[in-house]
């Protein structure tokens, strides 16, 4: 867990007024003393003090040199992709976030950038996929929604040897658990919509680079394209980050309890959680992160969309919604929701089964959450029995 004292005190007190909370500079422009002579800001697309505070905080948290705040996680991903040019190749994790898949294949392939998807849980697959055309390796770890773990340090070595950039989508772990730049990655991106914001009340994205020069390039792209985060939403993310270590600690504890419960349940086929000893890359997760996060996925023995639908409409505390990382527990059915844009065979091949259900374990009492899942299993089993009975009539 990252140092909460250091984090809380990295959030500055306002020098001008002593305000303990970071001021929201709700302005579009800044008065200049004479042309080009200003107090560090000229126009709020280029820079805003509230946004700059957030950018400094995330840069420190991720142990990078430059932080850049965007209007969404996808806008952050988009800015990184704009480092590439036509003819370049990307090697990406196969179990990639659905929105990233859509952006890579349906927007960037049109501009002559091709993507190869590989199972990066085995670094050798990445090694075999890179060529001299590869300019970017893109991984998520843990992945969404099957919680696959890739070895960041091993893949960073492959990127270095091939002189290409390694970008890690660190949304699921958050910097409270994992700091990819310290393991050799060049860029980290976040959907700050999730754990960093932490309260399901905003959409935001962040980029952090290890090197200042690369950070300047992405800042240039942001200023040129314009996908900035607003001052108010920057303030909300700062407010969320203040409690990040505390929240993440509890998310991890709750998720571990739920994963262990699911593992013993007769209606459950597979449970995906890096904190389980039988997880494929449990050792790698334990080596590179300080905890296993708040997302748990599982499949049903009755591996059908119908059974999953029946389950996800039967819970009370777990609300059916896309997104994750907030105070309230959520659940979703990726095949019909977040991963709908990925063709069925591709989705299944990446391990997203028809009945796969993803839980974003919130901050309620773990025993209440377990009881909620328990009653949902009972509901679906009595519904199934009814169907069998009415079919046999
Ligand atoms: C949500 C998410 C994104 C996209 O972020 P938005 O803020 O929704 O644009 C990217 N990567 C992962 C892993 C996510 O969960």
């Amino acid at each position: 867990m990252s140092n909460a004292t250091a984090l809380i005190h990295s959030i500055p007190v306002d020098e001008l007024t002593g305000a303990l909370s970071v001021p929201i500079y709700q302005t579009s422009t800044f008065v200049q003393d004479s042309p080009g002579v200003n107090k560090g800001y000229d126009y709020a697309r280029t820079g805003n003090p509230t946004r700059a505070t957030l950018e400094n905080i995330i840069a420190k948290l991720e142990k990078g040199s430059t932080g850049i705040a965007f209007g969404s996680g996808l806008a952050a991903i988009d800015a990184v992709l704009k480092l590439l040019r036509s003819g370049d190749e990307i090697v990406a994790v196969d179990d990639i976030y659905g929105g990233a898949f859509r952006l890579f294949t349906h927007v960037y392939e049109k501009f002559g950038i091709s993507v190869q998807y590989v199972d990066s849980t085995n670094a050798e697959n990445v090694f075999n996929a890179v060529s001299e055309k590869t300019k970017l390796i893109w991984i998520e770890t843990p992945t969404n929604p099957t919680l696959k773990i890739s070895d960041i340090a091993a893949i960073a070595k492959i990127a270095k040897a091939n002189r290409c950039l390694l970008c890690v989508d660190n949304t699921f772990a958050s910097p409270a658990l994992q700091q990819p730049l310290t393991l050799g990655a060049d860029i980290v991106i976040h959907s700050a919509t999730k754990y960093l914001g932490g309260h399901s009340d905003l959409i935001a994205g962040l980029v952090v680079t290890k090197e200042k020069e690369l950070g300047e390039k992405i800042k240039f792209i942001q200023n040129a394209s314009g996908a900035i985060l607003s001052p108010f939403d920057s303030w909300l993310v700062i407010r969320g980050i203040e409690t990040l270590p505390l929240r993440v600690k509890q998310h991890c504890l709750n998720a571990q309890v739920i994963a262990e419960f699911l593992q013993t349940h007769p209606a459950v086929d597979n449970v995906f959680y890096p904190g389980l000893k039988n997880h494929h890359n449990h050792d790698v997760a334990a080596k590179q992160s300080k905890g296993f996060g708040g997302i748990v996925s599982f499949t049903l023995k009755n591996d059908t969309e119908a059974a999953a639908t029946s389950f996800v409409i039967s819970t009370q505390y777990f609300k059916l919604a896309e997104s994750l990382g907030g105070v309230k527990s959520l659940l979703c059915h990726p095949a019909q929701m977040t991963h709908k844009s990925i063709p069925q065979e591709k989705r299944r091949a990446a391990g997203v089964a028809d009945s796969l259900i993803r839980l974003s374990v919130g901050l309620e009492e773990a025993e209440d959450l377990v009881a909620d899942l328990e009653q949902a299993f009972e509901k679906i089993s009595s519904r199934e029995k009814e169907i069998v009975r009415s079919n046999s009539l």
Side-chain angles (χ1 to χ4, degrees):
M1 203 62 59
S2 71
N3 185 319
T5 312
L7 165 62
I8 289 167
H9 290 275
S10 74
I11 300 171
V13 171
D14 181 39
E15 278 179 21
L16 209 62
T17 64
L20 190 62
S21 167
V22 173
I24 300 169
Y25 285 91
Q26 193 68 40
T27 186
S28 60
T29 192
F30 301 83
V31 174
Q32 311 196 5
D33 296 333
S34 73
V37 181
N38 56 47
K39 297 182 170 67
Y41 297 95
D42 50 20
Y43 185 61
R45 173 170 20 80
T46 315
N48 172 288
T50 315
R51 195 170 95 224
T53 301
L54 167 62
E55 292 172 336
N56 291 334
I57 294 167
I58 191 65
K60 271 201 196 119
L61 258 181
E62 285 288 7
K63 302 217 158 53
S65 69
T66 312
I68 312 156
F70 291 84
S72 70
L74 275 170
I77 297 173
D78 181 65
V80 173
L81 295 189
K82 284 183 175 134
L83 291 166
L84 305 181
R85 57 184 74 221
S86 177
D88 289 349
E89 282 179 14
I90 304 170
V91 171
V93 55
D94 54 6
D95 184 28
I96 195 169
Y97 176 71
F101 175 84
R102 184 173 52 205
L103 180 67
F104 285 18
T105 53
H106 297 304
V107 178
Y108 278 93
E109 284 200 348
K110 222 170 48 188
F111 296 122
I113 291 166
S114 57
V115 193
Q116 245 192 96
Y117 295 97
V118 300
D119 177 359
S120 60
T121 58
N122 181 352
E124 219 177 288
N125 294 335
V126 177
F127 179 82
N128 291 334
V130 294
S131 71
E132 69 273 21
K133 282 188 172 172
T134 309
K135 292 290 162 352
L136 179 64
I137 297 174
W138 190 281
I139 60 170
E140 292 172 32
T141 180
T143 61
N144 175 33
T146 61
L147 287 307
K148 285 185 184 167
I149 299 291
S150 296
D151 187 330
I152 300 171
I155 295 172
K157 275 195 196 125
I158 296 168
K160 288 261 140 50
N162 202 59
R163 291 202 191 81
C164 65
L165 297 171
L166 171 61
C167 181
V168 179
D169 182 335
N170 204 27
T171 299
F172 270 40
S174 94
L177 298 180
Q178 176 174 286
Q179 293 159 318
L181 301 181
T182 66
L183 300 167
D186 303 286
I187 308 171
V188 161
I189 75 103
H190 279 283
S191 170
T193 311
K194 317 293 167 52
Y195 288 104
L196 292 168
H199 295 76
S200 312
D201 52 9
L202 65 102
I203 301 284
L206 296 166
V207 171
V208 184
T209 63
K210 179 136 185 92
E211 302 300 337
K212 210 169 153 67
E213 204 186 323
L214 187 58
E216 288 307 317
K217 280 187 192 161
I218 298 174
K219 274 193 165 178
F220 177 87
I221 289 167
Q222 182 186 50
N223 188 45
S225 317
I228 55 159
L229 190 63
S230 77
F232 182 63
D233 285 351
S234 297
W235 182 85
L236 278 175
V237 178
I238 294 168
R239 185 186 163 100
I241 287 177
E242 287 179 331
T243 55
L244 180 74
L246 188 63
R247 284 186 286 108
V248 167
K249 200 185 283 181
Q250 195 61 38
H251 283 300
C252 292
L253 288 171
N254 283 359
Q256 186 75 36
V257 170
I258 285 171
E260 285 171 12
F261 158 74
L262 288 169
Q263 225 177 9
T264 63
H265 199 284
V268 172
D269 194 14
N270 281 308
V271 182
F272 305 93
Y273 186 63
L276 295 174
K277 294 261 170 355
N278 65 358
H279 181 283
H280 173 56
N281 268 347
H282 171 74
D283 294 347
V284 178
K287 178 187 74 176
Q288 70 188 10
S289 54
K290 297 178 191 110
F292 304 106
I295 309 297
V296 180
S297 293
F298 64 99
T299 55
L300 300 172
K301 289 238 169 77
N302 178 2
D303 185 29
T304 61
E305 285 201 7
T309 303
S310 179
F311 187 88
V312 297
I313 61 168
S314 301
T315 51
Q316 282 167 359
Y317 295 131
F318 283 93
K319 302 293 184 198
L320 179 62
E322 300 202 356
S323 200
L324 55 104
V327 166
K328 276 186 187 156
S329 290
L330 300 178
L331 87 175
C332 90
H333 182 218
Q336 291 182 92
M337 296 167 72
T338 50
H339 286 59
K340 212 179 160 168
S341 59
I342 301 181
Q344 192 180 53
E345 321 86 81
K346 264 213 178 97
R347 177 167 54 68
R348 282 182 176 161
V352 184
D354 293 353
S355 72
L356 186 88
I357 292 166
R358 185 190 75 190
L359 306 177
S360 169
V361 180
L363 300 182
E364 301 91 340
E365 297 295 329
E367 62 195 67
D368 294 334
L369 296 177
V370 167
D372 190 23
L373 297 174
E374 184 73 79
Q375 66 80 31
F377 282 122
E378 275 162 26
K379 261 189 209 155
I380 66 166
S381 97
S382 59
R383 259 186 228 134
E384 275 165 13
K385 275 182 206 137
E386 237 166 71
I387 292 167
V388 171
R389 202 180 318 123
S390 64
N391 283 351
S392 61
L393 284 177

